[in-house]
Amino acid sequence: MAIEPDTKDWTWVRERPCPECGFDAAAFERSDVGAMIRTNVRDWERLLADPRARVRADADRWSALEYGCHVRDVFRIYDERLALMLSADDP
């Protein structure tokens, strides 16, 4: 089975915890975000150092490397959005 494109509207995670990963946007203080991201980086360093990082365990799941690239892309997008919020009125 191939990986199907994700068509979910993920904005609901602001209102309730994610049943898949347990993320709860309302459960942590915004002042904790920096430490949370740094901890996440260390987790990815460990995962991507594994020689099997490029291998998909199942045909319908990304490899650790593919998930890592996705997380990298999400962080880049949010970095751009944060820069806009800090530098522009009504970005």
Side-chain angles (χ1 to χ4, degrees):
M1 176 190 321
I3 295 175
E4 294 184 27
D6 185 355
T7 58
K8 295 177 188 169
D9 175 0
W10 285 98
T11 58
W12 58 265
V13 297
R14 294 176 297 153
E15 300 163 1
R16 63 185 189 276
C18 176
E20 292 180 32
C21 72
F23 176 74
D24 185 354
F28 66 89
E29 298 293 326
R30 70 176 179 209
S31 60
D32 294 337
V33 172
M36 187 171 116
I37 290 172
R38 285 186 290 279
T39 297
N40 187 256
V41 168
R42 287 189 296 273
D43 293 339
W44 282 109
E45 289 172 338
R46 179 182 50 76
L47 288 167
L48 296 175
D50 187 318
R52 298 166 295 167
R54 295 173 180 259
V55 178
R56 289 183 177 174
D58 294 303
D60 63 341
R61 296 286 183 259
W62 285 347
S63 67
L65 178 60
E66 290 167 314
Y67 277 111
C69 290
H70 172 67
V71 170
R72 175 207 58 204
D73 295 345
V74 169
F75 280 160
R76 284 180 177 167
I77 289 168
Y78 279 95
D79 183 51
E80 292 171 14
R81 290 177 181 177
L82 178 59
L84 283 172
M85 288 187 280
L86 295 172
S87 66
D89 291 329
D90 198 24

